Every structure is written in C-alpha cells, then in structure tokens.
Amino acid sequence: IIIYDSIKDSYTHAFYLQNDDATTTAIYSEGTYAITDKTNVITGVRIENEKVDRTSGFDWTGQIDQFETFKGNDLPSAPKTHFGFGFTQYLGEKWSFSADITYVGDYCSDLDNTDNYKVGDYTTTDARIQFLLDNLTINGYVTNLTNEDVVYYAARGPRASVGQTRTIGLSAIYRFKYSILFGHKYASYGRSRIGGPYKGILYMDQNITLNAT
C-alpha cells in the first residue's frame, strides 16, 4: 500500500515478502512538512519483522546441511523499530539551523540470536548550522551530540563495529566557476556559414573540513 500526499510530500509503504528462506513484514512511513515558509519538519517510522523460515548450506565436509535450529529466529542486523524526527529552520537568506534525532531498536548480530551479540537500542542526535555567502558555504555541525554508545555489530573475538563518538566539525566549501568552450556550431545559409563556439559553465567545489572529537 502506498499513500501519497501531494501537499505534505509524504508516503506510507507497507509490504509482505516471503521466499523459501525468510519472511519480511514491514511498514514504512516518511514525510516532509512545511510548517511555515521558513521551517521544514521531517519524520520517519519503520517497523518490520524478519523471520527465518528455512536455512540450508554446506557443512565443513561439503555436504548439504539443514540448520532447522534457526527456523523462527530473527534475521541478523534487522532492527524491528526505527524512528526519526528532524527539522530545518531558515534564518533570513543566508543562515539555517537543523537538527535530527534517530532511534534504532535492538537486534541480533548473528543467526543464532545470541544474547551476547545483541546490539542496537540507541538514540543519536545531530545538529548543523549553515551560512551561505555567494559561492562560499560554511557548515558547523555536531554528530552524536549526547555521545551515545553506538554498536552496529558484535561477534566472537571479541569484535565489534561501533559508531562515531561525539564529533564537532567545521567545513567550508567554495564553488569555483569556469567558462569553457566545447567546440563550434555552424548554421548554413546557402554558401555562407556563420557560427560560434559552444560555451558552458563548469563548477568545481573545494572542500575543507576540520573535526574534533
């Protein structure tokens, strides 16, 4: 089911998917709302359930091995819940401020659904401020504002994939503009030809970024 709203630019997408190995049931909803001509709000919700129906593979001898013990388990790296909310506030013609908060529910890193390898269940907050001056764009930002412990994946070893700690950064982007010639184009009028070069504009961005954690 997909529901479109032309005014709010939002949609809801629900689906059910099944194959020989797994079943996924999910509903997604995202929207962008113009509260005023200077304020935009973005929301997102994702709720899904992914279960193993049947698994098969090869064991160490090269023979086909049926892992029926995985049947009914959650698929790895598949959080059941995901929520997001953000906004952008424009301050005049040159300044803007935005922030967003995201929650990801817990999930297992392995097909066994081992409790020791359960990760997720974190909330992150990011904030940004932007200044525009002709061809120059300056961005100040903070990622993971609350310095949340974010773990994406855990395994034996111990090994883990973790998210970025609180980071404060400043970036400057300057856009250079060049006029270039691509060749010639002629228009024929009897035996006379008149024409001139194609003229195009080439933009090149130079980005300088400074980060502090």
Side-chain angles (χ1 to χ4, degrees), residues 70-140:
F70 295 154
K71 187 174 183 178
N73 285 6
D74 294 331
L75 289 178
S77 301
K80 289 183 171 61
T81 54
H82 188 288
F83 303 102
F85 175 83
F87 74 92
T88 299
Q89 178 67 50
Y90 296 96
L91 308 172
E93 299 297 327
K94 298 181 181 297
W95 291 90
S96 65
F97 174 77
S98 60
D100 59 77
I101 184 170
T102 302
Y103 171 75
V104 177
D106 60 6
Y107 57 90
C108 293
S109 298
D110 63 346
L111 203 54
D112 286 308
N113 290 177
T114 307
D115 287 338
N116 289 340
Y117 305 133
K118 184 173 287 187
V119 295
D121 191 22
Y122 57 82
T123 302
T124 57
T125 304
D126 301 331
R128 293 164 297 279
I129 188 168
Q130 184 178 88
F131 175 70
L132 301 176
L133 180 62
D134 297 328
N135 292 334
L136 178 66
T137 301
I138 299 176
N139 295 292

Side-chain angles (χ1 to χ4, degrees), residues 48-201:
E48 57 189 354
N49 187 25
E50 299 181 278
K51 294 289 186 180
V52 177
D53 296 331
R54 176 181 63 83
T55 57
S56 62
F58 294 91
D59 62 16
W60 65 275
T61 65
Q63 301 297 316
I64 293 179
D65 185 20
Q66 298 291 333
F67 301 102
E68 290 298 329
T69 55
F70 295 154
K71 187 174 183 178
N73 285 6
D74 294 331
L75 289 178
S77 301
K80 289 183 171 61
T81 54
H82 188 288
F83 303 102
F85 175 83
F87 74 92
T88 299
Q89 178 67 50
Y90 296 96
L91 308 172
E93 299 297 327
K94 298 181 181 297
W95 291 90
S96 65
F97 174 77
S98 60
D100 59 77
I101 184 170
T102 302
Y103 171 75
V104 177
D106 60 6
Y107 57 90
C108 293
S109 298
D110 63 346
L111 203 54
D112 286 308
N113 290 177
T114 307
D115 287 338
N116 289 340
Y117 305 133
K118 184 173 287 187
V119 295
D121 191 22
Y122 57 82
T123 302
T124 57
T125 304
D126 301 331
R128 293 164 297 279
I129 188 168
Q130 184 178 88
F131 175 70
L132 301 176
L133 180 62
D134 297 328
N135 292 334
L136 178 66
T137 301
I138 299 176
N139 295 292
Y141 57 88
V142 181
T143 59
N144 196 0
L145 179 65
T146 58
N147 207 26
E148 182 89 355
D149 291 329
V150 178
V151 181
Y152 300 123
Y153 173 82
R156 295 177 178 85
R159 294 174 297 166
S161 174
V162 299
Q164 193 173 21
T165 58
R166 182 193 297 118
T167 301
I168 302 173
L170 180 67
S171 69
I173 302 174
Y174 188 82
R175 170 162 289 191
F176 296 91
K177 184 171 68 173
Y178 302 91
S179 295
I180 59 175
L181 303 179
F182 293 101
H184 285 76
K185 178 181 180 180
Y186 292 95
S188 296
Y189 297 92
R191 295 184 178 181
S192 301
R193 295 196 307 171
I194 60 173
Y198 284 115
K199 182 176 290 188
I201 303 297

Side-chain angles (χ1 to χ4, degrees), residues 4-20:
Y4 289 98
D5 187 326
S6 59
I7 298 177
K8 297 180 179 178
D9 188 25
S10 64
Y11 73 90
T12 299
H13 184 193
F15 68 89
Y16 173 85
L17 175 66
Q18 183 176 22
N19 57 30
D20 290 339

